[in-house]
Amino acid sequence: MKRKILIVEDLFVEANHLRIMLKRAGYEVTGIARTFEEAVSLIRQHPPGIVLLDIFLAGKKTGIDLAGVLNQQHIPFLYLSANSSEEVLKQAKATRPSGFIVKPFREKDLLVSLEIAEYLHENSSESQLRQEANFQLEVKQLLQSENEWAGQMLGIVKALQKLISFDYAAVGFMGTRHLPFNALHFLRTGFDEYQVMDSEGIQTVWNIRKDEMDALLKATPVDPRTQFYNDERFREMASGNSIRKLVAAKFGMRSNLTIPYPDISMDGQFFFISLYSRRPDAFSGNDLELCDRIQAPLEHIVKEMAGRTSAAFPQVRLGKSVGIVAGNRDAENSFKGMIGQSHLLLNVFNLINQVAETDTSVLVTGESGTGKERVADNIHSLSSRKNKPFVKVNCAALPISLIESELFGHEKGAFTGATAKRIGRFEQANGGTIFLDEIGDMPAEIQMKLLRVLQQREIERLGGTETIKIDIRVIAATNRNLERAIAEGKFRLDLYYRLNVFPIVMPSLRERRDDIELLVNHFIGYFSRKIGKAVGGVSEKVLKALTDYDWPGNIRELENVIERSVLLARSNIIDQISLPANSTPTNEPSTPEPTFKNIFENERDHIIAVLKACEGRISGENGAAKVLAIPATTLGSKMKKLGIKRHIGVT
C-alpha cells in the first residue's frame, strides 16, 4: 500500500499540480499546507507517511524549520527546490531529507524519487535495527565469556563503537558519595585497539596523586540524564576543575556524550558510560534516541555483570584478562592501502565498516591525493559483491563526445566510427560495483541521463531500443565542492542527493599530521624493496620538516617525495629532503585574487538592493516590481527561486 502524502507548498498552482499527479499514481494526499503552522496542524490531524516540502513557505518559518519537526516524528520528507544558495543547501542537507526534487520536474521523476525516498527510509530503519540487534547480541555474549569486570567493560566499549564513533570512553560507577575509584578509561589507539587504564594507570598518565584524583572525582558534576556537549558547550562544561577537564586537556577531546544508568546503583553511586570525541560536532540528538533504545537491554546485562562481582565491589583493577592495549583487528590488514591511526582516519574506517555490507550509494569527498579511491576499493572488497566486477570510471578523463558511449555502450552503426557493438561501463559492472571518480567534472548534459540510470537501474545503449536492467552498487568521488557547484547551476541537486546517500569525507594530510611518520615508514619500506636499496628511515630533522609541511598534494605528494628521496639517498637514513620553498605559510599580506559572481548571484544582489530601496514593498507604484519593470508575480517567483525573504528591506 502506498504511503499517504502531505504537500507543503505555498504556491497553489504548483501544489495542485502535484496533487493531481500523485492521485493519478494512486497516492492519497492528506492535505496541502502553505505555512509551517498549517503543516504542523495537518500532521497532527492526519499523520502522513511522507511529506513533499518546499524550502521557502509563506510566513516567517521555512521548510527547513518544519524538517526538524518531521525528524522528531520520524516522518520521511523530500524537498521541492529550485536553484538555492550554497548556504541554504547546507542548511537543508543538515536536516537529513530523503531526497530532493528539482523544479521543474517530470511526473516520472517525481514518482521515482518518492519510491527511492520510501526505500531509503525503510532501508535506513532496517539497517539501524540490525546494527542495534547485533550490539545486543554481542554484549549478551560477554556474559558467557570468562572475562573479569574490566574485560567485560572493554567488550561493551568495542560494541558501542559500532553504533557511535568516539575516541575515548570512561565506564564505571559515579555519584554524590565518593567511593574508591570504580571506573575504567579507554583511549582508542587503533581501529579495534584501546589503551585501558585503571586508577593507577590514570594517575600515571595524568601525573597526579591519589588525593588529587579523589578531589577531581568529587568535583565532577553528576547529571542523571543522557546529555551531549559539543564544541562551545563542551568547553564550558570542561572549564571547571574536574575529570572532564583533564580528559579534554590531555587527549584533545572536544565533545562528550554522557549516558547514565541510575537503576544500576551501588552505595549511592550509579553506573555511567561517558564517550568523548576529538571532533567538535561528534554527537547529536540521534545519539540520544539511540541511547534510549539500547538502555533497557544494556541495563539488564550490566546488572548481571555487576551481580557476579564481589558484594563490596573493590577498587577496579585491570586483571589478567585485559592488557594495556587490547584488540584483535589490524586496520592495515582490514583496510588495504590505508595507513594511519589518527582519529579522523579511524572515523573513516568506522564509516567504511558500517556501509560496506549494504548496497547504499556512497559519495566520497576530499582534496586531491587524500585516498578517495582507496575508500572505494575497501568498500567493494568488504561487501557481498567482492567477487563480482569492480569497474572504475574517471569522469574527468572521458571526452565529452564519447562519455555517453563509454558509460552506457552503443550498438553497431550508432554513430560514425561505431563499427561494432560496445558494452558500456555500467553494463560491465552488472552484479558488482561501479566507481565514478571525479563525478563533479561530469558534463551537465550527461548528469540527467546518469540520474535516470541510477533511479531506474536500467540503461539503453546508444542507437539501441532494448532496455537493459542492471544491478549495481554506486560509489562516487570528487574533490570539488558540489554544494557550491549546485548553487552555481553546474551540478544537478537531485543527482547530488541520489549519490550522497552515505557521505564519507577524507581528511587532508595536514589534518592528520600524526599519521605522517607511519606513512613515511610505509613508503620507505615499499620503495626500498622496489628499488633495491637498504633505506631504513629518516633523520629527526627530516621527519620534523615533513611534519611541518602543509602537503597541498596530500598523500600522493608525500609518496612522490619519499620515492625521490629513496632514489637519492646516500646512506640507510634519509637526512635531506627536497620540499617546495613556499611550503611554510607566511604572515605577509597577499593580494587577493579577483572573484566573480555568477548570473544568479548578481541577479539576487540586484533584487535585494532594489527591495531595500523600496523599503520591502513589492507591488504598487513605489514597489520593487515597478522599479525592475516586471510583474509583481514574476518578482515573487524570482525571490522564491533565489532564496530572498519577503521581509528584506523592512526596518
Side-chain angles (χ1 to χ4, degrees), residues 170-175 221-229 244 256-265 269-275 288 291-292 294-296 298-299 302:
V171 181
F173 287 88
M174 192 172 186
V222 177
D223 193 329
R225 300 168 300 169
T226 301
Q227 299 275 7
F228 71 91
Y229 306 89
R244 295 188 182 103
N256 173 232
L257 171 64
T258 303
I259 315 163
Y261 289 85
D263 289 343
I264 308 176
S265 60
Q269 293 194 323
F270 58 81
F271 183 74
F272 75 96
I273 299 174
S274 190
L275 307 178
L288 298 182
C291 292
D292 286 342
I294 65 174
Q295 178 173 356
L298 185 57
E299 192 172 89
V302 173

Side-chain angles (χ1 to χ4, degrees), residues 536-553:
V538 298
S539 66
E540 290 187 13
K541 178 186 71 174
V542 168
L543 181 59
K544 185 178 187 309
L546 292 170
T547 306
D548 291 343
Y549 181 54
D550 271 349
W551 300 108

Side-chain angles (χ1 to χ4, degrees), residues 70-270:
L70 297 173
N71 278 326
Q72 289 176 358
Q73 300 185 32
H74 303 286
I75 300 173
F77 59 95
L78 290 88
Y79 280 120
L80 304 168
S81 174
N83 287 326
S84 298
S85 67
E86 184 180 352
E87 183 58 34
V88 169
L89 289 176
K90 283 183 178 178
Q91 293 175 14
K93 190 179 84 167
T95 62
R96 308 185 312 279
S98 296
F100 267 92
I101 305 176
V102 178
K103 304 174 184 178
F105 49 81
R106 304 180 311 166
E107 183 171 341
K108 188 174 184 180
D109 296 333
L110 170 66
L111 300 180
V112 169
S113 296
L114 280 169
E115 289 176 7
I116 291 171
E118 292 181 55
Y119 167 78
L120 290 176
H121 182 72
E122 291 170 2
N123 188 59
S124 173
S125 300
E126 288 176 9
S127 176
Q128 186 66 39
L129 288 172
R130 186 167 57 249
Q131 287 181 3
E132 291 172 25
N134 289 339
F135 168 80
Q136 292 183 35
L137 180 63
E138 192 171 338
V139 173
K140 191 178 293 184
Q141 288 172 345
L142 293 171
L143 291 172
Q144 279 80 55
S145 71
E146 296 181 359
N147 288 338
E148 301 168 356
W149 175 262
Q152 292 171 334
M153 293 303 100
L154 173 62
I156 288 175
V157 167
K158 292 169 74 172
L160 267 174
Q161 186 69 249
K162 298 173 183 177
L163 294 178
I164 307 171
S165 182
F166 56 89
D167 300 308
Y168 189 98
V171 181
F173 287 88
M174 192 172 186
T176 52
R177 201 171 84 76
H178 177 60
L179 284 175
F181 185 81
N182 270 312
L184 290 164
H185 288 231
F186 303 84
L187 173 66
R188 193 182 190 192
T189 58
F191 176 66
D192 197 37
E193 295 182 346
Y194 297 83
Q195 180 180 350
V196 188
M197 294 167 281
D198 57 14
S199 60
E200 290 182 358
I202 287 290
Q203 290 168 40
T204 300
V205 170
W206 288 345
N207 192 26
I208 58 175
R209 300 187 309 272
K210 185 180 182 305
D211 60 321
E212 293 174 323
M213 182 82 170
D214 292 344
L216 287 173
L217 284 168
K218 290 179 180 178
T220 301
V222 177
D223 193 329
R225 300 168 300 169
T226 301
Q227 299 275 7
F228 71 91
Y229 306 89
N230 285 343
D231 204 17
E232 184 61 38
R233 283 191 69 205
F234 177 69
R235 283 199 296 272
E236 291 175 4
M237 184 192 66
S239 61
N241 195 28
S242 67
I243 290 288
R244 295 188 182 103
K245 181 178 182 179
L246 277 183
V247 172
K250 181 67 180 178
F251 302 111
M253 300 301 156
R254 300 176 65 186
S255 52
N256 173 232
L257 171 64
T258 303
I259 315 163
Y261 289 85
D263 289 343
I264 308 176
S265 60
M266 181 193 309
D267 295 334
Q269 293 194 323
F270 58 81

